[in-house]
Amino acid sequence: MNRSGVLSSFGVILAVAACAGNEMPQKAAPAESLEWIEPGSDLVLPAYFESSNQYGRVGFLNTAGPIHTREHPFFEPQGPNGRACVSCHQPADGMSISVESLQQRWLETGGQDPVFAQIDGQNCPNLPHDQAASHSLLLERGLFRVGIPWPPRETDGTLIEPQFTIEVLRDPTGCNLDPEYGLYSDKPTISVYRRPRPATNTRYTAHRNMDGPFILPFIQKNGRATARDPETGELVSMNLMADARYPTLRTQADNAAISHLEQPNMTDETLNRIVAFERGLFSAQAYDSQAGSLTDEYGPIAFGPQNLTTQVAGTLGNNERMFVFPMGTAWLEPAPGLTAEQIARRASIRRGHDIFFYRTFWISDSMHINTVGLGNPIKRTCSTCHNQHMTGMDVANGWVDLGTTNLPHAMEEPQDSRGRPQPVLPLFKVTCKPDVAPHPFYGREIFTQDPGRALISGRCDDVGAIVIQQMRALSARAPYFVNGSAQTLEDVVIFYDRRYNIGFTDQERRDLVAFMSAL
Amino acid sequence: MMRGILSGVLAGLVATQASAQATGERLNFVACPIIRDTANVPCWLSDHEGTRYYLTIQTDISGKVHPPYLGHMALVEGIVGERSVCGGIELVEVHISPLPELAPECDQHLPREARYDLPFDPPRPPGPSRGSLAFGSIQGPEPIEEAPPEGPREFEIPFRYDAQLGSRHPQYLLPAYDAALEMHASRIEVRGYRGGALLSNGEQLLERSDIGQLRAEQAADALREALTGAGLEDIEVTSEAIDAPRPDGIEDWSDRKVIVRVIP
């Protein structure tokens, strides 16, 4: 988050207005206190406010109205490490957390902020807590350690026989070969390092659109039974988290409390309040520094948090009836009173949309895209994979291998000044067992920084398959991809350009960045 | 569906090529697939004994024919048609199975040539279409035979050669699932078949030896878990592996399947 600040007057005005109809006529939070909300803060979180970032301002909208952070379980420390949900899901950071915020927090607290907790805020829990090097993945890439037991188990505890063996080829954090925390410890665990997903726009990410064809009793990627809500028995979209390992917001919160907050005893009431809060949240860029307001009367439906409250959730947008991010005829003609700069920027954003939606290229060797009846390769567009209306997630149970963690496509390691590789992420070798069909694009040996869904399913063809993230509030929460390997939106475009040999022009790259920054 | 679309779309294309294989004859072979770019939707081809055949255009999940993969050989089973499409003789009623093992030599990607562009009307981009899906709604299978509501019902689930349960099967599992819920089924019997293919050159292919068992178990597991989750907690689901008769080159693809029998 850019520390130029939260748009205070707007926040105050909207907070007061939203309070008028209920029993909470509290004073809105001071602007600066919304830039970083500490666990245990005593604030009134406005129903709407905007926070500055590199490209403009991101809007945070709580349709439930303003709330007290004091005694709200999303904001109160829940466990011994002093963390709350808000530690890693900051409203000003699009309900995720940016590297910029983390670095600033390190400087301001000398590394004592609970966000740097040993359990996952360090490269491995047994490293010296007070040294920045112990937190290098968090401070440089925004990555938290996710320790996943191996081998996987069904939800009823039944052991899953993996279709592959896994070896640790490279362990720069030391955690995967650690005798206490590693793969060969008494409790075999695989540590992967992932960005926290935004706890917002859950109307889409955890949608329950049973009228559409996208929540079926069988997973559309492999035909197996779809997960269900353990409380209600309802089918779920399986689009939460990087690997869809928990089916609902509630199970995610419960398990996040254990693995991130070190609190294994969350009460039903606490979980219910967290989920209710998350259900009402919407985040999106609301103002572009060059284009001006994204949400005024001329603004496209694609933009701003308010429009996210009204659109159909859980439906396919990869068609001209719905669109992934609807622009309609907005901005085709310059609105009255715009500057030349605003007109040019809006035109760039529109072109970026059209590239995203219409610019064809060859999509190849992408598991759960090329293999779902499309063939390999296919000539399609960005919106083929990023197809969910309003979020750009995959509307079908959404894990896909776009190459972000599997070699040879993944952005590997940075190099030092002499061009020598400086490994920062672990590297695993996955070997598919002889009685299993080889992976259709990698064969029997796969090299990966993060096996993704395969750590949960045990399936060879899921190695490196990651649930596609929502493309909202991107400007507030760099870096990108599950492993933080794209530091900027430009890096995102460059990755795909290289991965799929697209051949974007410089102008196309700039337009795509402009478009994504406005989401 | 695909056949209907192509009949209308490609009416202007003329059959001019003579082929080594006579029109109307069955043709089964294993070869590398070839993709050709066009102005809109790419098309898929394959060469066999000096003749180039047209397999399909790029489809999506709703298509009846799913294209092959570069990087893999494909088992192609079809009937030689009359027309030349996209530079190849059309194979009708074609079934395409990408073979599981990698074949990096299968990498032929042909550039666009204007003479092979497909005249879609209305023009159809390869990306987002004007409808919901390019080739109509997802089609589930019909029951093998109509039965009174109170009686057992059977459902057939097709498989590509050597393929296990995958992305194209939810649409086939769903009718069995719905029927089980509708009749409050007490039992489901799943039979997984292992088939093969007799190629036109006389070579016989057989699927991997355990494929019938794998198919049956995977379909049974999926149905059991889905149905118990939906409230049929006492349902009994059994699985059985069956070797289909030796392939004879005539619709061998129809033996690569699972049969689901849903019993009240």
Side-chain angles (χ1 to χ4, degrees):
Chain A
M1 183 177 62
N2 185 316
R3 293 304 182 224
S4 58
V6 173
L7 187 65
S8 56
S9 59
F10 195 28
V12 170
I13 290 167
L14 285 169
V16 171
C19 284
N22 62 30
E23 302 292 318
M24 290 184 58
Q26 281 80 15
K27 187 177 172 184
E32 62 276 11
S33 62
L34 298 175
E35 292 180 359
W36 177 274
I37 300 176
E38 292 193 46
S41 298
D42 186 7
L43 305 169
V44 174
L45 189 71
Y48 182 83
F49 66 95
E50 296 179 5
S51 303
S52 298
N53 55 51
Q54 176 186 356
Y55 292 98
R57 296 194 298 268
V58 67
F60 169 89
L61 172 63
N62 181 359
T63 56
I67 62 160
H68 269 298
T69 58
R70 174 68 82 191
E71 297 182 359
H72 192 290
F74 194 92
F75 298 91
E76 284 288 315
Q78 296 295 322
N81 65 20
R83 273 194 189 157
C85 305
V86 74
S87 295
C88 307
H89 299 284
Q90 291 282 335
D93 287 10
M95 294 304 286
S96 176
I97 189 168
S98 69
V99 153
E100 185 181 356
S101 292
L102 287 160
Q103 291 175 349
Q104 181 150 343
R105 208 61 199 148
W106 180 267
L107 291 174
E108 289 175 357
T109 68
Q112 296 308 303
D113 191 290
V115 76
F116 301 109
Q118 284 180 297
I119 185 170
D120 63 352
Q122 298 187 174
N123 298 349
C124 200
N126 57 7
L127 296 172
H129 183 66
D130 58 349
Q131 296 180 15
S134 303
H135 309 268
S136 61
L137 289 178
L138 187 56
L139 289 170
E140 293 167 13
R141 288 196 172 194
L143 299 177
F144 290 83
R145 189 181 69 91
V146 179
I148 297 181
W150 186 254
R153 293 179 181 274
E154 303 281 5
T155 51
D156 65 2
T158 309
L159 205 62
I160 295 174
E161 176 67 32
Q163 294 182 346
F164 56 85
T165 58
I166 185 166
E167 303 168 57
V168 181
L169 285 192
R170 184 178 72 205
D171 190 29
T173 68
C175 222
N176 280 295
L177 294 175
D178 186 86
E180 183 179 356
Y181 296 100
L183 179 58
Y184 310 112
S185 66
D186 291 342
K187 295 180 180 176
T189 301
I190 293 174
S191 286
V192 289
Y193 298 85
R194 295 175 178 169
R195 295 281 293 128
R197 300 212 156 194
T200 187
N201 305 324
T202 61
R203 182 167 178 267
Y204 297 87
T205 60
H207 77 85
R208 296 292 178 94
N209 182 356
M210 300 298 178
D211 296 330
F214 302 107
I215 297 184
L216 298 177
F218 305 99
I219 295 170
Q220 296 178 57
K221 299 292 167 63
N222 58 30
R224 305 305 172 97
T226 299
R228 291 177 182 267
D229 183 333
E231 285 189 285
T232 66
E234 284 184 339
L235 298 163
V236 300
S237 66
M238 299 188 78
N239 260 322
L240 281 178
M241 313 184 73
D243 50 19
R245 66 185 181 278
Y246 299 118
T248 65
L249 292 173
R250 184 188 170 92
T251 53
Q252 185 277 330
D254 197 13
N255 284 279
I258 298 169
S259 57
H260 302 308
L261 310 186
E262 300 179 81
Q263 170 52 272
N265 300 307
M266 296 284 266
T267 66
D268 285 346
E269 183 193 356
T270 298
L271 291 169
N272 289 342
R273 289 187 69 194
I274 290 171
V275 171
F277 174 66
E278 292 177 343
R279 283 278 178 201
L281 303 185
F282 295 90
S283 300
Q285 193 79 342
Y287 184 87
D288 184 274
S289 300
Q290 297 174 60
S293 174
L294 299 168
T295 59
D296 63 19
E297 61 183 304
Y298 305 106
I301 292 171
F303 299 142
Q306 183 62 44
N307 282 328
L308 283 158
T309 68
T310 61
Q311 294 295 297
V312 180
T315 195
L316 188 69
N318 183 20
N319 58 75
E320 291 179 335
R321 291 192 305 200
M322 187 64 81
F323 287 90
V324 179
F325 298 111
M327 295 283 290
T329 57
W331 296 358
L332 284 176
E333 299 294 331
L338 293 182
T339 66
E341 181 191 34
Q342 287 174 314
I343 292 170
R345 179 69 171 179
R346 291 182 178 200
S348 176
I349 292 171
R350 257 211 92 99
R351 288 195 303 271
H353 165 269
D354 290 351
I355 294 165
F356 170 84
F357 202 68
Y358 290 114
R359 165 67 152 92
T360 57
F361 56 93
W362 294 97
I363 301 170
S364 61
D365 298 349
S366 295
M367 189 68 209
H368 302 313
I369 291 292
N370 294 101
T371 54
V372 295
L374 303 174
N376 183 44
I378 52 169
K379 184 180 167 186
R380 294 288 287 263
T381 71
C382 300
S383 62
T384 296
C385 307
H386 297 279
N387 56 51
Q388 190 188 66
H389 181 56
M390 297 302 281
T391 68
M393 302 173 73
D394 181 7
V395 74
N397 324 105
W399 51 91
V400 168
D401 169 25
L402 297 180
T404 54
T405 70
N406 282 352
L407 303 189
H409 307 300
M411 283 193 262
E412 254 287 69
E413 305 305 341
Q415 297 181 338
D416 66 12
S417 57
R418 296 182 181 179
R420 296 174 300 199
Q422 287 186 305
V424 297
L425 289 175
L427 187 66
F428 305 96
K429 178 184 177 184
V430 168
T431 305
C432 304
K433 293 179 177 174
D435 60 339
V436 173
H439 188 289
F441 306 124
Y442 300 110
R444 296 200 173 274
E445 289 186 352
I446 308 167
F447 298 90
T448 184
Q449 300 167 352
D450 183 343
R453 176 69 185 170
L455 292 180
I456 308 305
S457 69
R459 291 173 63 93
C460 207
D461 61 13
D462 280 341
V463 174
I466 306 289
V467 174
I468 291 182
Q469 300 194 42
Q470 60 171 305
M471 297 175 64
R472 303 310 305 238
L474 291 167
S475 294
R477 55 184 179 88
Y480 309 102
F481 295 145
V482 66
N483 53 9
S485 56
Q487 291 287 330
T488 64
L489 291 174
E490 287 84 353
D491 287 346
V492 171
V493 176
I494 289 169
F495 169 81
Y496 284 120
D497 198 6
R498 176 176 59 82
R499 165 69 182 87
Y500 294 114
N501 196 23
I502 299 172
F504 285 133
T505 65
D506 289 346
Q507 184 65 56
E508 285 178 319
R509 290 185 184 190
R510 285 194 295 272
D511 292 341
L512 271 171
V513 169
F515 171 62
M516 290 194 291
S517 72
L519 293 172
Chain B
M1 185 63 161
M2 179 70 69
R3 177 96 175 96
I5 287 173
L6 283 175
S7 297
V9 164
L10 307 173
L13 300 177
V14 182
T16 56
Q17 291 194 25
S19 95
Q21 208 83 17
T23 299
E25 281 190 13
R26 292 188 181 277
L27 182 59
N28 307 328
F29 63 92
V30 173
C32 286
I34 301 166
I35 191 167
R36 183 194 298 283
D37 194 10
T38 76
N40 39 59
V41 183
C43 50
W44 285 92
L45 308 156
S46 192
D47 292 344
H48 174 66
E49 293 185 348
T51 302
R52 177 155 293 174
Y53 293 94
Y54 164 82
L55 308 181
T56 179
I57 55 172
Q58 174 177 294
T59 65
D60 58 31
I61 195 168
S62 63
K64 189 174 179 182
V65 177
H66 288 177
Y69 305 160
L70 290 189
H72 291 259
M73 305 280 276
L75 168 62
V76 177
E77 298 162 283
I79 296 172
V80 178
E82 297 179 351
R83 301 179 302 179
S84 176
V85 181
C86 208
I89 296 170
E90 182 183 19
L91 288 180
V92 297
E93 298 180 25
V94 70
H95 290 73
I96 305 166
S97 296
L99 300 185
E101 295 296 333
L102 267 58
E105 69 274 20
C106 296
D107 62 352
Q108 199 169 358
H109 193 144
L110 301 176
R112 178 191 168 198
E113 292 185 51
R115 59 183 168 144
Y116 297 132
D117 281 347
L118 304 175
F120 285 89
D121 187 22
R124 181 183 178 277
S129 65
R130 291 176 184 170
S132 55
L133 289 168
F135 299 99
S137 59
I138 295 172
Q139 301 163 39
E142 296 297 322
I144 289 175
E145 58 183 40
E146 286 298 327
E150 66 274 14
R153 296 178 66 186
E154 286 197 350
F155 301 87
E156 182 172 322
I157 304 174
F159 284 76
R160 289 170 149 184
Y161 186 91
D162 257 351
Q164 302 177 40
L165 197 69
S167 62
R168 74 180 312 187
H169 295 125
Q171 61 180 301
Y172 292 97
L173 289 164
L174 197 55
Y177 169 90
D178 287 340
L181 289 179
E182 185 183 344
M183 69 173 73
H184 300 287
S186 63
R187 180 179 168 85
I188 291 180
E189 296 170 352
V190 181
R191 301 195 301 275
Y193 287 78
R194 174 200 186 205
L198 181 62
L199 305 185
S200 297
N201 65 6
E203 184 183 354
Q204 177 180 264
L205 304 181
L206 291 177
E207 294 187 284
R208 56 183 281 179
S209 60
D210 59 353
I211 196 72
Q213 178 189 350
L214 290 170
R215 288 170 177 160
E217 289 177 351
Q218 290 166 2
D221 287 348
L223 284 164
R224 183 185 300 109
E225 186 177 344
L227 287 166
T228 53
L232 283 186
E233 293 171 1
D234 296 327
I235 192 161
E236 181 185 7
V237 184
T238 64
S239 59
E240 177 186 10
I242 296 174
D243 277 352
R246 289 281 171 180
D248 60 7
I250 302 172
E251 298 185 353
D252 292 332
W253 46 265
S254 65
D255 287 334
R256 305 189 286 265
K257 64 189 175 186
V258 157
I259 300 290
V260 177
R261 182 174 173 81
V262 182
I263 302 166

